[in-house]
Amino acid sequence: MAEVEQKKQTHKEERQKYTLNKLKGLGQEIIEDVEKTKVPSIRVPSRGTGNIVYDDAKRYYVLGDRFGHRSLGNVKQIRKLGQMVYVGNFCKDLVAREKTATIREMYYVSEGWGISFKTQQESNIVGEDLEVTLGVTREELGLMPEEDGASVYGDLTLIDEGTEINAAKMGKSGYTISPTIDQVELMDCNVDKVLAVETMGMFHRLVQENAHKRFNCLIVGLKGQAARATRRFIKRLNEEKGLPVYICNDGDPWGFHIAQVIISGSAKLAHVNHQLATPDAKFIGVTASDIINYDLPTDKLKDVDVMRLKELSKDPRYKTDFWQTEIKKMLKIGKKAEQQSFSKYGLEYVVDTYFPAKFEEMENQA
């Protein structure tokens, strides 16, 4: 155990040093340009739609090889370059002092820089630009999301800040997945699968019904669109512990999208999908076929739902026969349904009937 902790600490220190050197190097480039009487500029990988490519072999979005330059010689880029330098300096201080700040805190701190952002979204984008330019993660830069993490419940032992924790002994809310999940050691895992569910309502239902024992699984509550830390945690369980991952979301285009971001990554985060996507994860959420076969309570598709479904049908992440069939069928019936709609048959139905049928279906397809 001591040896494992020592290796982990050494790796953490190496990554910290690497990140600090990358940040210093960015500033040094500008200094050297000035010393050579050259107009300072920074080479930034393009994150435009034309440079985001779906990689069929990797099964997730990646960045292409296009780059742009932010130069003080371009009036339109001066403000953006200045913001990037200030954010870089802010992160350098965080990394050097081993501190963190939320992206919301950075936004307010920037008010004192004299080169403030118009909105937090603008500061978030500059943070992502720095991330992709340096090839390090936002978390390694000391920047953390504002939102709370999702939760995991089940027989998984972790070591967090030197403390041994079992995710089935943390109360009914389970263990909260923190933004620094890569610093948490995944130890004993006495389960054979991961079941991730979109809503915390379903998470708590599964915990109450002892689904973790019934299916010998870890239950992960996504809290809607899964945060980066949640996606990273799921990927680690899949790769480090060899656990198959199953995702159950609402039967609508937004639930489909939430699941697919976990499976194949997002276009927006193409530069870090290699750390977040779990291509082998399977969708076992509510489908149009389920709506028909289980005669579920439904809502009528709105115009925005129809438009989104048509967009998904053209997205390379949904090109398989399964997705194409379910999208077309949902458009045909014009209906959508939530996970909780199975409660029509009783609170226990989803554990007693629905999930056993879904898992059996997955096994037959394997």
Side-chain angles (χ1 to χ4, degrees), residues 61-105:
Y61 279 113
V62 298
L63 276 187
D65 55 6
R66 297 182 188 176
F67 285 82
H69 285 83
R70 292 191 181 164
S71 170
L72 290 181
N74 186 327
V75 174
K76 294 181 180 180
Q77 296 177 355
I78 291 175
R79 182 168 176 271
K80 188 69 73 176
L81 180 57
Q83 289 175 332
M84 198 169 175
V85 170
Y86 267 103
V87 170
N89 191 57
F90 177 72
C91 290
K92 180 170 72 72
D93 181 62
L94 289 176
V95 175
R97 295 196 294 156
E98 297 188 45
K99 287 185 174 291
T100 63
T102 66
I103 52 179
R104 186 66 173 171
E105 286 176 321

Side-chain angles (χ1 to χ4, degrees), residues 70-351:
R70 292 191 181 164
S71 170
L72 290 181
N74 186 327
V75 174
K76 294 181 180 180
Q77 296 177 355
I78 291 175
R79 182 168 176 271
K80 188 69 73 176
L81 180 57
Q83 289 175 332
M84 198 169 175
V85 170
Y86 267 103
V87 170
N89 191 57
F90 177 72
C91 290
K92 180 170 72 72
D93 181 62
L94 289 176
V95 175
R97 295 196 294 156
E98 297 188 45
K99 287 185 174 291
T100 63
T102 66
I103 52 179
R104 186 66 173 171
E105 286 176 321
M106 184 185 75
Y107 172 64
Y108 283 121
V109 168
S110 71
E111 291 293 320
W113 293 345
I115 191 168
S116 60
F117 299 99
K118 295 176 182 178
T119 64
Q120 185 182 336
Q121 179 62 19
E122 187 180 17
S123 67
N124 290 352
I125 290 173
V126 172
E128 289 170 359
D129 286 342
L130 190 65
E131 181 180 46
V132 70
T133 298
L134 300 180
V136 298
T137 66
R138 182 176 66 185
E139 290 75 18
E140 287 177 315
L141 291 171
L143 297 176
M144 300 295 160
E146 193 67 35
E147 70 270 16
D148 292 333
S151 297
V152 59
Y153 190 91
D155 194 0
L156 169 68
T157 301
L158 317 95
I159 296 181
D160 190 349
E161 295 292 331
T163 301
E164 187 173 297
I165 296 169
N166 187 282
K169 299 177 181 179
M170 297 290 291
K172 294 300 183 181
S173 294
Y175 170 80
T176 299
I177 302 167
S178 72
T180 55
I181 191 61
D182 265 332
Q183 297 175 23
V184 175
E185 188 75 19
L186 305 182
M187 302 299 288
D188 296 331
C189 190
N190 301 310
V191 301
D192 57 28
K193 65 177 72 71
V194 177
L195 175 57
V197 293
E198 178 179 350
T199 68
M200 294 309 291
M202 179 60 77
F203 171 85
H204 291 300
R205 170 54 49 205
L206 294 178
V207 171
Q208 285 184 41
E209 303 304 330
N210 289 314
H212 64 295
K213 293 182 179 179
R214 174 75 179 270
F215 305 123
N216 193 30
C217 69
L218 293 177
I219 305 168
V220 177
L222 301 176
K223 294 187 72 173
Q225 180 66 272
R228 286 194 190 193
T230 307
R231 284 177 262 169
R232 178 61 182 156
F233 176 66
I234 289 173
K235 183 177 181 67
R236 287 188 63 193
L237 289 171
N238 178 248
E239 292 189 346
E240 296 176 24
K241 297 301 179 182
L243 299 177
V245 175
Y246 301 96
I247 309 168
C248 181
N249 287 9
D250 288 341
D252 60 33
W254 317 105
F256 295 167
H257 174 71
I258 290 171
Q260 200 58 253
V261 165
I262 294 173
I263 298 169
S264 300
S266 67
K268 181 175 181 289
L269 295 179
H271 58 290
V272 287
N273 278 335
H274 62 286
Q275 294 185 325
L276 304 178
T278 307
D280 289 329
K282 306 296 183 183
F283 180 79
I284 61 169
V286 186
T287 62
S289 295
D290 289 335
I291 291 174
I292 297 169
N293 296 337
Y294 288 92
D295 189 25
L296 297 176
T298 60
D299 292 312
K300 183 179 179 181
L301 290 178
K302 298 178 181 178
D303 290 342
V304 67
D305 296 322
V306 172
M307 182 174 68
R308 185 59 176 149
L309 282 170
K310 291 179 178 179
E311 289 174 349
L312 297 186
S313 70
K314 300 174 183 177
D315 188 314
R317 293 173 294 181
Y318 299 85
K319 66 182 180 181
T320 64
D321 291 341
F322 166 79
W323 282 114
Q324 290 296 314
T325 297
E326 291 302 333
I327 289 172
K328 289 176 182 177
K329 190 176 293 186
M330 185 165 285
L331 286 169
K332 183 177 180 179
I333 65 176
K335 296 177 180 178
K336 59 184 179 180
E338 298 180 355
Q339 293 175 308
Q340 281 82 355
S341 61
F342 289 98
S343 297
K344 164 186 176 180
Y345 300 108
L347 295 177
E348 299 83 8
Y349 185 85
V350 70
V351 172

Side-chain angles (χ1 to χ4, degrees), residues 29-76:
E29 284 183 36
I30 296 175
I31 292 173
E32 289 176 359
D33 281 343
V34 172
E35 290 176 341
K36 295 175 182 178
T37 66
K38 290 174 57 178
V39 177
S41 67
I42 295 177
R43 190 169 181 258
V44 182
S46 171
R47 292 199 293 134
T49 55
N51 197 43
I52 296 174
V53 183
Y54 183 81
D55 190 310
D56 286 313
K58 295 178 178 176
R59 292 179 290 163
Y60 54 75
Y61 279 113
V62 298
L63 276 187
D65 55 6
R66 297 182 188 176
F67 285 82
H69 285 83
R70 292 191 181 164
S71 170
L72 290 181
N74 186 327
V75 174
K76 294 181 180 180

